[in-house]
Amino acid sequence: MAKDNDTQSFITNRRNLLLGVGAAGSVLAAGVAGAHAEERHGEQVTDAPVSDKMLEQQPFNGQYQSGIVTPRPAAGMVASFRVLASKPEEVERLFKTLSARIAFLMKGGTPPALNDKLPPADNGILGPVVLPDNLTMTVSLGASFFDQRDWLLPHKPVRLSRMKAFKNDALDQSLCHGDLSLQISSNTPDTNIHALRDILKNLPDLIVLRWKQEGSVPVLPRSPDGTHQSARNFLGFRDGSANPDAGDTELMDRIVWVQGNGDEPAWARNGTYQVIRIIRNFVERWDRTPLGEQERIIGRLKPSGAPFGGRTEIELPDYAKDTEGTVTPLDAHIRLANDRAKGSDAHLILRRPFNYSNGVSKSGQLEQGLLFIAYQADLEKGFITVQNKLNGEPLEEYIKPIGGGFFFTLPGVVNADDFLGRSLLEAAGHTPTITKS
Amino acid sequence: MKLRAYLTASVFAITAAVAPRAANAEVSPLDLVGPIAEYKLFIGENLEKLVNETKAFTDAIKAGDIEKAKKLYAPTRMNYEIVEPVAELFSDLDGSIDSRADDHEQAEKDPAFTGFHRLEYGLFSQNSTEGLKDFADKLQADVVELHKRITELTFPPEKVVGGAAALMEEVAATKISGEEDRYSHTDLWDFKANFDGSRKIFDLVRPLIEKDDGTFVAKVSGNFDTVDKTLSKYKTAEGYELYDKLTDDDRTVLAAAVNTLAEDLSTLRGKLGLN
């Protein structure tokens, strides 16, 4: 997280704005304007809640896109679009505009001031200065993006497919698939919404929003000993205890990033496969299930997240000594997902989920669940294999996947002359127009 | 798609098109007098058609001729949809002529639910003209009153020019989904009238901005062409296919064109120096 001079100056600007320092301040003091300041006592009910994390910033430029191995902040969103850009020049404009907007939004800054007879350039929901607030926006392409463009079809990532329904799925087609997905995450939902509205405003002729799902992660107090804990899902269990170490770059190279040495197209190097699943949780029923049964279904102790017989969530269950399933049931969620047998490492995926809460079902139950997001270098050996192992698990009585899709996350933007999707366009024989930044 | 020149423009040109740095200061209020006068004539002609055709439509209902009434529903409405930016200035009449069931607490059963959609509900959903006589008389009286009020009205330039975008906003927000004509599914007729109404306004002021803002004019007119071309696929001898014939792909093309038109036309007032 960098704090450069630009962002420092936002703080100053913002403070000045908040304090009414400058021209407006002196006008108020002189009492010329039609408004005057009223004396107030202390904090007010409608004061904006204060955060000291608004300047947290993630890099836009890099070998990989941000938002994948980036620690997950409290607020997330996935938006899926139809893409109208069909010719190479149009796709280039789509990618370049996305790159330019995302670069601005992730860094923050002051949007241009326009004549007040015109709609403002920025939606303004974050105020006159946009602060980064730890924003990442991750762009990925669906199979249909390639299928509908003959000139891109030969360059489709080898394992990219349209998500098929798994055994327990009840997919709502209006919540599935898409030509392009945008994973947006930051410290606050408002920052995500601001970013989404900016993208929609800047690309109305090339993309049309199909569906979106917002989510959140419960926040914890900082632990006194500096240790970290996995966040809990809406089943009340720690989710991500067995996630591979995102700080281990060799491990990420193997599990997450497409490498240049396999059968994937060269342009896809440093990209990754993204899986989105909107998984409804039947939380009322879950909350009426005995604690012991909940724990046997998941395979972990609810308070600590530890495996049975363990004390902390990072301990590993020893299935070799428990072949009968007397400690951890053979059909427990975590055991089916990863049996820890030889070769199971090939199926590891990096999960980055959010919890969602949407309203009330027709039956008067809560529409809540998991906005499951996972990244992997091999979609088939990763999510598809793991989900097939989970088919039929006892947890299915409490969950129902209703939406989502498979996407390929583009490689990162390495420098100011680069843009998202450049390697793909070049592989397809399109030479991007040179624009000086 | 006929016009695609703008698609090759760089990121920076696009940002400039979406967010021009300054409104065009060259246009003086006097320049708008001609276009506004011509627009008033255009609205007058369409209102006369609205009054006459509503008469035929409501007469058919009162005569119990359900087939004829069903046939006249969509073409009659088009005359209202095309003048909507002006008609909407009279919110009482807009409510009684064009409100939808969802605007009323008791939906279709609500006594305040009147106008085109109440008649549409009777004709297409109930498949009957029974009980529609009073609603028919009320609609006819309302359009006559609307004609009268608009004839006496001095057209506010910002409302006229803003109407081009307002029509697109309506399509984008509550029509593209097919919820407007939910009993008859004749939404494509409405679309056509909304687009024509918007394009008329744009065409009238176009000479005032063409010289300084050729890229903008070309882009907007290209998107109107896209809409025309897409809608023309659904043209029939009588008018337009039913909404459910609209493919997902074409709906997406229309949605993008409408969103882009709404975005671009939202700058039209500012470009003409209007508040």
Side-chain angles (χ1 to χ4, degrees):
Chain A
M1 273 163 266
K3 283 186 188 176
D4 57 27
N5 288 335
D6 278 356
T7 48
Q8 273 311 327
S9 75
F10 299 159
I11 255 200
T12 319
N13 288 341
R14 197 170 163 84
R15 187 171 294 142
N16 287 345
L17 285 162
L18 290 172
L19 297 174
V21 175
S26 36
V27 169
L28 288 182
V32 177
H36 65 278
E38 197 176 278
E39 199 188 327
R40 286 187 162 196
H41 306 89
E43 287 184 66
Q44 298 299 315
V45 286
T46 47
D47 284 350
V50 173
S51 160
D52 56 7
K53 300 164 75 135
M54 295 299 292
L55 295 180
E56 287 183 359
Q57 193 182 322
Q58 297 297 331
F60 173 67
N61 286 330
Q63 193 178 4
Y64 317 112
Q65 285 194 68
S66 284
I68 300 162
V69 295
T70 312
R72 173 189 55 180
M77 178 199 288
V78 171
S80 165
F81 301 86
R82 280 288 304 267
V83 171
L84 282 102
S86 58
K87 292 182 210 146
E89 301 75 38
E90 296 167 347
V91 173
E92 180 188 338
R93 179 159 69 83
L94 169 69
F95 287 159
K96 281 185 170 173
T97 310
L98 279 173
S99 306
R101 294 318 303 164
I102 294 172
F104 169 78
L105 292 162
M106 283 178 61
K107 186 161 191 281
T110 307
L114 306 182
N115 183 309
D116 68 2
K117 288 188 165 66
L118 290 173
D122 185 84
N123 57 61
I125 63 173
L126 301 180
V129 180
V130 176
L131 299 179
D133 198 24
N134 211 8
L135 176 74
T136 61
M137 301 177 77
T138 312
V139 177
S140 313
L141 304 174
S144 55
F145 186 86
F146 297 88
D147 296 345
Q148 289 162 7
R149 290 160 185 81
D150 291 345
W151 58 281
L152 282 178
L153 197 52
H155 308 283
K156 182 171 157 180
V158 175
R159 288 160 187 83
L160 185 59
S161 59
R162 188 173 191 268
M163 183 177 76
K164 289 196 191 77
F166 292 88
K167 197 181 136 276
N168 188 40
D169 292 6
L171 299 177
D172 172 348
Q173 288 306 312
S174 68
L175 294 174
C176 288
H177 319 302
D179 299 332
L180 185 146
S181 81
L182 206 49
Q183 178 205 255
I184 308 178
S185 44
S186 73
N187 294 330
T188 47
D190 310 80
T191 298
N192 295 344
I193 291 163
H194 173 268
L196 175 67
R197 280 171 57 175
D198 186 278
I199 296 297
L200 290 170
K201 188 172 179 66
N202 279 282
L203 285 166
D205 60 330
L206 295 185
I207 55 172
V208 172
L209 185 61
R210 286 198 70 229
W211 54 267
K212 80 162 169 62
Q213 180 61 61
E214 289 176 64
S216 58
V217 182
V219 175
L220 289 179
R222 206 175 288 281
S223 72
D225 58 1
T227 55
H228 297 273
Q229 303 177 347
S230 301
R232 290 178 193 271
N233 57 26
F234 275 169
L235 300 178
F237 277 77
R238 291 224 174 112
D239 195 345
S241 306
N243 229 11
D245 179 359
D248 181 339
T249 53
E250 271 174 45
L251 189 64
M252 291 299 105
D253 281 349
R254 188 161 62 74
I255 294 170
V256 175
W257 308 119
V258 168
Q259 305 293 303
N261 52 9
D263 55 357
E264 292 288 358
W267 73 264
R269 185 171 180 203
N270 299 330
T272 178
Y273 286 92
Q274 179 191 56
V275 171
I276 308 291
R277 304 269 288 167
I278 301 174
I279 305 171
R280 168 120 190 253
N281 293 174
F282 300 110
V283 295
E284 287 90 345
R285 183 171 183 185
W286 182 254
D287 290 346
R288 293 190 281 254
T289 301
L291 177 61
E293 192 179 338
Q294 289 185 7
E295 291 179 331
R296 285 191 297 276
I297 288 171
I298 299 296
R300 289 184 183 277
L301 299 168
K302 197 169 185 181
S304 62
F308 293 118
R311 279 188 316 107
T312 66
E313 61 168 322
I314 54 166
E315 288 173 54
L316 300 181
D318 192 349
Y319 300 141
K321 288 191 184 143
D322 177 31
T323 48
E324 303 290 310
T326 44
V327 180
T328 304
L330 299 176
D331 57 4
H333 180 75
I334 67 159
R335 189 163 186 168
L336 286 175
N338 183 353
D339 61 10
R340 312 225 167 239
K342 198 159 176 278
S344 62
D345 270 15
H347 309 300
L348 288 175
I349 59 179
L350 183 70
R351 286 168 292 151
R352 200 172 187 273
F354 294 86
N355 300 326
Y356 77 85
S357 178
N358 282 349
V360 181
S361 76
K362 280 189 185 134
S363 313
Q365 293 209 322
L366 295 167
E367 289 269 11
Q368 301 191 331
L370 189 71
L371 173 59
F372 175 93
I373 304 172
Y375 294 95
Q376 57 255 280
D378 185 324
L379 176 61
E380 286 155 14
K381 282 190 184 147
F383 176 77
I384 293 176
T385 300
V386 174
Q387 182 55 52
N388 280 327
K389 290 191 205 173
L390 288 169
N391 284 346
E393 64 172 329
L395 183 61
E396 284 183 354
E397 279 199 48
Y398 301 90
I399 63 173
K400 186 58 77 179
I402 55 171
F406 297 160
F407 300 89
F408 187 81
T409 305
L410 293 167
V413 174
V414 292
N415 57 40
D417 295 324
D418 195 10
F419 60 91
L420 288 163
R422 184 186 50 79
S423 62
L424 169 60
L425 285 175
E426 287 176 354
H430 175 69
T431 312
T433 350
I434 297 165
T435 46
K436 266 267 121 327
S437 48
Chain B
M1 277 168 226
K2 194 174 146 195
L3 193 126
R4 279 300 183 194
Y6 67 88
L7 286 172
T8 56
S10 74
V11 174
F12 309 98
I14 295 316
T15 312
V18 172
R21 279 169 300 279
N24 193 330
E26 306 290 309
V27 182
S28 96
L30 281 177
D31 293 336
L32 282 165
V33 172
I36 301 286
E38 205 176 316
Y39 185 65
K40 191 163 184 183
L41 284 176
F42 168 80
I43 293 293
E45 283 163 23
N46 282 285
L47 278 171
E48 263 170 51
K49 270 182 75 191
L50 175 66
V51 170
N52 295 337
E53 291 182 19
T54 303
K55 177 85 171 51
F57 170 56
T58 52
D59 281 352
I61 292 172
K62 291 194 283 181
D65 189 343
I66 187 159
E67 287 316 311
K68 186 174 179 193
K70 279 183 178 177
K71 221 167 137 180
L72 292 179
Y73 169 75
T76 305
R77 261 187 77 64
M78 287 181 87
N79 300 304
Y80 186 80
E81 291 296 316
I82 208 163
V83 302
E84 212 166 8
V86 189
E88 276 179 349
L89 297 176
F90 304 102
S91 61
D92 57 333
L93 288 176
D94 189 42
S96 64
I97 294 173
D98 198 33
S99 66
R100 301 181 188 176
D102 350 87
D103 298 326
H104 303 282
E105 201 175 334
Q106 298 168 58
E108 280 88 356
K109 291 190 178 67
D110 202 302
F113 177 43
T114 61
F116 276 113
H117 296 303
R118 178 63 184 85
L119 294 170
E120 180 199 6
Y121 171 66
L123 293 172
F124 293 90
S125 183
Q126 313 285 84
N127 199 27
S128 162
T129 55
E130 223 177 283
L132 296 183
K133 182 185 170 299
D134 290 351
F135 293 118
D137 284 337
K138 165 110 178 97
L139 177 64
Q140 181 61 23
D142 283 343
V143 298
V144 169
E145 171 67 13
L146 180 71
H147 186 212
K148 178 170 160 281
R149 288 200 212 167
I150 292 180
T151 311
E152 292 163 1
L153 177 76
T154 307
F155 281 22
E158 72 282 1
K159 294 285 180 196
V160 172
V161 175
L167 280 164
M168 295 302 94
E169 295 294 359
E170 287 218 7
V171 178
T174 61
K175 290 188 177 172
I176 194 77
S177 55
E179 63 197 90
E180 174 86 356
D181 296 298
R182 69 190 63 166
Y183 320 108
S184 65
H185 309 294
T186 55
D187 303 83
L188 297 188
W189 301 61
D190 279 36
F191 286 10
K192 174 69 178 155
N194 289 149
F195 286 116
D196 287 353
S198 179
R199 186 165 206 164
K200 179 73 186 176
I201 298 167
F202 173 70
D203 284 344
L204 285 173
V205 298
R206 178 180 177 145
L208 302 177
I209 48 175
E210 191 135 41
K211 193 157 59 79
D212 290 334
D213 231 335
T215 318
F216 171 81
V217 167
K219 185 180 174 202
V220 171
S221 108
N223 275 307
F224 275 127
D225 291 345
T226 300
V227 167
D228 271 347
K229 204 174 142 188
T230 310
L231 277 182
S232 69
K233 291 198 217 167
Y234 298 89
K235 191 105 183 65
T236 63
E238 312 251 287
Y240 288 90
E241 300 271 16
L242 298 185
Y243 180 81
D244 38 308
K245 287 262 165 45
L246 185 65
T247 64
D248 194 40
D249 281 352
D250 283 334
R251 184 175 16 253
T252 307
V253 168
L254 282 178
V258 171
N259 290 340
T260 312
L261 283 167
E263 195 67 57
D264 287 340
L265 291 171
S266 72
T267 65
L268 198 55
R269 278 189 305 172
K271 283 179 188 297
L272 293 165
L274 294 165
N275 276 317

